[in-house]
Amino acid sequence: MMNIRRVATALSRRPSPNAFRTLCAQPSDAQSNPLSSPMLDQQKSFMASIVEMLPNSVTAARIQSGNSPMGAEMVLEVPNDMTIRVLRFLKLHSSSQFKGFIQATAVDYPERKDRFRVVYSLLSTRFNARIRVQTYVDEITPLESATKIFKGADWFEREVWDMYGVFFHSHPDMRRILTDYGFEGHPQRKDFPLSGYVEVRYDDTEKRVVQEPVEIAQEYRSFEYSTPWEVFPEGTRPKDALQIEEPEKTPS
Amino acid sequence: MLRCVARRAFSAARVRNLATIREPGVVGLVTPDDPRQALKELYGRTLEAVKDLPESAAYRTNVEKITNYRLGVVSENEDIEKIEAMLNIGQVQEIIEQAENELELIPHMADWKPWEMQDGKKPAVIEIVD
């Protein structure tokens, strides 16, 4: 106990205990600006130092949902040939130490030229910070795999490849991970049909599971979402649909 | 015979360490016999390696700032616990690991040259988005 207290007082006596801890200057306007917090100010100066150190490799730097008193989400956008260099920098540099690889994923924006946003989320347990590294690619541009730096990126990159079709080169085992053997297409793309391209059923005559192209008549696609019971909108029932004749009423 | 001597030497070193240095809370980190000396060497090598980078690079100045500060704390203080408390970046084994990380990064940075801006391009501005 004595020991802890002594350390604590020693720390408080020093002018700026964290000045070299995260490279971040101490907040100056924390009191005057209600929107700022020590955490947010640290994040601001941390991002500023990153942009300063990697000026040609950061295309955008954002702090999102910045009105939270607990700080916000740090987002770095980088060119798509720089991802693993930036990741390596964030992992090894003394003032970032992002050693934890949380996930990699992607988002599809079909209207953009570089339609996929690939996102890496990192965690620094040393400085209790999280950061997101984003990049944009089109369908044919391969990214360099982050497995050299983070072993945990392996399955996540396979997932991105499987779901979005973003290829990663120098990956140790670049295969599909979630879909079936021989699957075609990338299901999380926005232009992938909801019903898929093939359907699977058990064929009793062949005694095995067969894959067939999906055959759904167009009228079956006009779903009515407001009620779960009547899926055919009024007046769109096909003419040749099976009609059940009502039994004739016998006069009593 | 030889093994016996080695074991004794090892346990002696262990006892000496245990008296002054806590075991790391992280698996896989080793405690050198003289952590201060190890740190000083690492920092010396870092300051030497960083001389390959241009002086104008912010990365170089930042690394020099951090390393000189840490080197100063390590050389001024004898007590490991005091060094740990002053640096406030974990136990001495982790401080050593961080120094090794930085040293590993420097050649990659020299290769990458992220400070070279193309003509007419400006560094990104940090946006705060609600």
Side-chain angles (χ1 to χ4, degrees):
Chain A
M1 193 58 212
M2 280 289 280
N3 197 8
I4 293 172
R5 197 173 298 146
R6 200 176 64 227
V7 170
T9 47
L11 283 177
S12 61
R13 226 177 289 126
R14 293 193 317 109
S16 161
N18 285 334
F20 287 92
R21 194 168 181 252
T22 59
L23 255 192
C24 300
Q26 287 298 294
S28 54
D29 57 347
Q31 277 76 38
S32 58
N33 185 355
L35 273 188
S36 78
S37 68
M39 187 89 173
L40 188 61
D41 285 324
Q42 269 194 349
Q43 287 178 329
K44 276 185 211 166
S45 43
F46 174 71
M47 291 293 267
S49 75
I50 293 283
V51 173
E52 195 192 7
M53 283 188 274
L54 316 173
N56 81 2
S57 309
V58 177
T59 48
R62 277 196 303 277
I63 299 179
Q64 288 184 352
S65 27
N67 54 4
S68 151
M70 288 306 294
E73 303 165 17
M74 297 191 282
V75 183
L76 278 182
E77 281 186 11
V78 302
N80 54 28
D81 53 344
M82 299 281 185
T83 45
I84 74 154
R85 288 169 167 177
V86 174
L87 292 180
R88 184 189 285 121
F89 174 82
L90 290 174
K91 182 183 176 187
L92 295 181
H93 184 49
S94 304
S95 64
S96 50
Q97 291 280 313
F98 286 95
K99 293 287 181 72
F101 184 85
I102 302 300
Q103 60 140 359
T105 187
V107 191
D108 185 11
Y109 296 99
E111 69 280 3
R112 297 189 187 166
K113 200 172 130 275
D114 289 336
R115 60 183 281 190
F116 300 113
R117 173 202 282 164
V118 179
V119 187
Y120 292 95
S121 304
L122 307 180
L123 167 69
S124 169
T125 46
R126 168 62 49 222
F127 298 119
N128 186 18
R130 284 169 193 276
I131 198 166
R132 219 152 68 217
V133 180
Q134 299 181 345
T135 188
Y136 290 89
V137 281
D138 56 15
E139 290 101 327
I140 50 171
T141 313
L143 283 173
E144 188 165 1
S145 166
T147 41
K148 251 183 240 157
I149 296 143
F150 294 107
K151 287 275 185 289
D154 187 334
W155 281 18
F156 288 103
E157 288 179 347
R158 284 176 63 184
E159 205 173 291
V160 170
W161 158 244
D162 193 359
M163 292 290 128
Y164 294 90
V166 176
F167 193 79
F168 293 87
H169 67 80
S170 41
H171 187 285
D173 185 20
M174 197 72 227
R175 289 179 293 144
R176 289 184 171 279
I177 187 169
L178 291 172
T179 52
D180 205 355
Y181 298 104
F183 189 90
E184 281 175 24
H186 301 284
Q188 287 276 33
R189 287 188 176 184
K190 291 267 164 62
D191 50 10
F192 190 87
L194 209 58
S195 50
Y197 293 117
V198 290
E199 56 189 344
V200 180
R201 67 175 174 86
Y202 179 72
D203 191 301
D204 204 30
T205 55
E206 292 194 47
K207 300 287 182 210
R208 65 181 181 89
V209 174
V210 293
Q211 280 195 347
E212 291 167 341
V214 177
E215 284 179 25
I216 302 183
Q218 191 53 48
E219 53 266 29
Y220 284 88
R221 291 182 187 261
S222 52
F223 303 106
E224 174 67 62
Y225 295 108
S226 57
T227 163
W229 306 118
E230 184 55 80
V231 294
F232 296 109
E234 199 56 45
T236 58
R237 190 183 288 271
K239 289 280 188 311
D240 53 345
L242 188 64
Q243 302 284 328
I244 299 171
E245 289 178 10
E246 286 186 24
E248 280 183 28
K249 282 179 186 170
T250 51
S252 55
Chain B
M1 169 65 189
L2 204 61
R3 190 192 284 171
C4 183
V5 169
R7 196 187 297 141
R8 244 184 235 159
F10 182 70
S11 62
R14 216 76 194 135
V15 168
R16 199 171 69 239
N17 280 342
L18 284 178
T20 49
I21 308 162
R22 289 173 298 151
E23 283 292 299
V26 184
V27 171
L29 295 184
V30 286
T31 314
D33 277 346
D34 188 353
R36 285 183 62 230
Q37 190 54 38
L39 271 175
K40 279 190 217 163
E41 275 172 22
L42 278 169
Y43 288 145
R45 278 164 63 199
T46 307
L47 290 173
E48 204 49 46
V50 93
K51 287 195 177 126
D52 291 346
L53 314 179
E55 278 183 32
S56 58
Y59 174 70
R60 174 174 170 172
T61 47
N62 279 342
V63 169
E64 282 175 344
K65 239 191 308 189
I66 300 169
T67 313
N68 281 324
Y69 173 74
R70 291 185 182 175
L71 183 60
V73 171
V74 171
S75 347
E76 282 164 21
N77 299 285
E78 290 280 331
D79 183 21
I80 296 291
E81 276 192 24
K82 191 165 182 215
I83 293 173
E84 288 173 355
M86 282 186 79
L87 288 180
N88 195 15
I89 45 168
Q91 287 175 236
V92 70
Q93 297 89 347
E94 296 169 274
I95 302 174
I96 291 173
E97 196 203 14
Q98 290 181 27
E100 284 168 351
N101 284 165
E102 194 69 72
L103 198 55
E104 185 191 336
L105 178 61
I106 291 168
H108 288 290
M109 296 297 277
D111 208 29
W112 177 14
K113 301 184 180 66
W115 46 82
E116 283 179 1
M117 286 301 278
Q118 286 174 350
D119 292 336
K121 277 205 166 183
K122 283 184 183 168
V125 181
I126 296 162
E127 307 162 54
I128 311 259
V129 190
D130 272 346

